[in-house]
Amino acid sequence: MEEKLKESTAKNQYTAKAYTYADYLTWPEESPVELIEGIPHAMTAPTRLHQEIVGEVFRQIANYLVGKPCKTYVAPFDVRLADSQAEDKDIINVVQPDISVICDQEKLDDKGCLGSPDLIIEVLSPSSIVKDQLKKLNLYEKYGVKEYWIIHPQDKIITVYQLDSIQKYGRPYVYLFNQEVPVGIFQDISISLKNILDEDELKALEEELKEILENE
């Protein structure tokens, strides 16, 4: 109920018109929102587990990228999904992914990223399930984000979407937290979330993985 109230409050604060990045820049920073097709979506404070997951994944990717041209960023970090010539008044999609990886440094400026990251990772929160799994999935496919991960803290699974030959997200790959998850945009890195699991959680996932492999 509380999350619905926050979302309702945000919608009442901003009327039904399509807003742009120019509008976004005038809004108070203490009430963070994302713009999806010109519609503001309220953002809520993340949980401790959410932050642990983001921190662990970011650490592994950042360590890998030392000395490499690609850059990785954590929220808050504005990603403006538009072409490189777009003006602020014409940009209607501004998101703050939990983790972004950008390999074309021409897309980076002091405001964040103008254009599509190569990899976006979102960690689900109760208030972001629909937004991350539907609205952002469609948005990231539309703007050509090569790889999109959705991490499910409660189910302890990672869903990975990758653009196919016709620039659409095909059937996703699904991994458990105790598995090595290859990063598709690179050739030699896999991410593991074993470090955030306690002994009982790890044992349960090992049993689940064993059962899955036996039934294949």
Side-chain angles (χ1 to χ4, degrees):
M1 176 62 77
E2 182 179 353
E3 301 303 335
K4 291 182 179 179
L5 180 60
K6 288 182 179 179
E7 188 73 26
S8 175
T9 300
K11 289 179 179 178
N12 290 335
Q13 183 179 354
Y14 311 106
T15 62
K17 66 167 271 190
Y19 285 89
T20 71
Y21 185 56
D23 298 310
Y24 174 95
L25 291 174
T26 69
W27 296 340
E29 293 184 4
E30 62 268 20
S31 300
V33 299
E34 295 178 300
L35 272 182
I36 298 179
E37 301 298 348
I39 299 173
H41 293 264
M43 300 177 67
T44 57
T47 65
R48 178 187 59 80
L49 177 58
H50 178 285
Q51 294 299 79
E52 284 188 12
I53 293 170
V54 169
E56 179 62 20
V57 175
F58 177 78
R59 180 188 66 79
Q60 294 181 46
I61 293 177
N63 286 345
Y64 170 80
L65 291 178
V66 171
K68 298 180 174 65
C70 299
K71 302 293 184 180
T72 185
Y73 301 91
V74 294
F77 178 76
D78 285 349
V79 172
R80 292 156 285 155
L81 294 171
D83 66 61
S84 61
Q85 303 303 314
E87 298 183 9
D88 292 352
K89 65 182 179 62
D90 299 318
I91 298 172
I92 60 172
N93 290 295
V94 186
V95 292
Q96 291 195 16
D98 288 315
I99 299 174
S100 304
V101 176
I102 299 105
C103 294
D104 181 357
Q105 295 193 29
E106 292 295 319
K107 295 179 179 179
L108 297 172
D109 58 23
D110 288 342
K111 296 178 180 178
C113 175
L114 176 57
S116 300
D118 296 85
L119 168 65
I120 285 178
I121 298 174
E122 301 279 13
V123 179
L124 289 183
S125 298
S127 62
S128 72
I129 291 175
V130 172
K131 182 171 65 173
D132 289 344
Q133 294 191 123
L134 293 176
K135 294 178 181 178
K136 283 189 172 181
L137 176 66
N138 293 330
L139 186 69
Y140 295 160
E141 179 184 70
K142 174 181 175 181
Y143 282 92
V145 175
K146 295 176 183 177
E147 188 165 351
Y148 176 36
W149 291 23
I150 303 175
I151 300 179
H152 309 247
Q154 299 306 317
D155 296 328
K156 296 181 175 53
I157 62 172
I158 302 169
T159 306
V160 177
Y161 293 89
Q162 295 175 336
L163 289 180
D164 60 20
S165 60
I166 58 172
Q167 300 302 294
K168 298 291 184 182
Y169 287 142
R171 185 175 179 178
Y173 300 94
V174 180
Y175 301 88
L176 299 175
F177 274 20
N178 61 330
Q179 292 181 284
E180 296 284 333
V181 184
V183 180
I185 63 169
F186 302 122
Q187 298 298 316
D188 53 354
I189 175 178
S190 294
I191 302 299
S192 171
L193 285 175
K194 282 184 178 180
N195 288 346
I196 69 163
L197 299 171
D198 63 32
E199 187 175 330
D200 291 337
E201 289 173 328
L202 184 57
K203 183 177 180 181
L205 285 182
E206 287 174 348
E207 290 296 323
E208 184 175 346
L209 180 58
K210 180 180 178 181
E211 183 177 342
I212 291 171
L213 295 175
E214 288 176 348
N215 291 330
E216 284 186 348

